[in-house]
Amino acid sequence: MQSLLLTTGLYVLTAIAEIVGCYLPWLWLQQRTPVWVLLPAAASLALFVWLLTLHSAASGRVYAAYGGVYVATALVWLWWVDGIAPTRWDLLGAGLALAGMAIIVLGPRAPV
């Protein structure tokens, strides 16, 4: 259980880094914020890539499991940053995505 919590926490940090790295350029393009916001955006995307390398599982498995956490984290961002409350369908989809992540992370592995 501790492994799942640590893995999920690392995925959440990774998702936040990715979302910030994409949100700041969006602000620059859509909201006409200063161009300097692209510097922290680039740093955030570099952090995102580095965080993905911290997982010990095969990269394809890491990316698949990360996707579930990304969905849930993006909906929290939608609510807290954009001020739009997720619908019950959003929450159901995030729950299913997180269940898929847990199955991928906790599933038995065949010996190599």
Side-chain angles (χ1 to χ4, degrees), residues 20 33 37 48-49 52 55 59 61 68 76 79 81 86 90 93 98 105:
V20 168
T33 57
V37 300
F48 156 69
V49 171
L52 278 179
H55 296 275
S59 62
R61 186 170 289 126
V76 171
W79 191 13
V81 175
D90 294 331
L98 288 173
V105 170

Side-chain angles (χ1 to χ4, degrees), residues 72-84:
T73 304
L75 288 175
V76 171
W77 183 276
L78 174 75
W79 191 13
W80 288 356
V81 175
D82 293 330
I84 301 170

Side-chain angles (χ1 to χ4, degrees), residues 4-20 47-48 51-52 55 65-74 76-77 80 98 101:
L4 179 62
L5 291 175
L6 289 173
T7 299
T8 303
L10 185 55
Y11 280 143
V12 169
L13 288 175
T14 305
I16 291 169
E18 183 180 6
I19 291 169
V20 168
L47 176 64
F48 156 69
L51 288 169
L52 278 179
H55 296 275
Y66 165 71
V69 175
Y70 179 85
V71 168
T73 304
V76 171
W77 183 276
W80 288 356
L98 288 173
M101 182 279 281

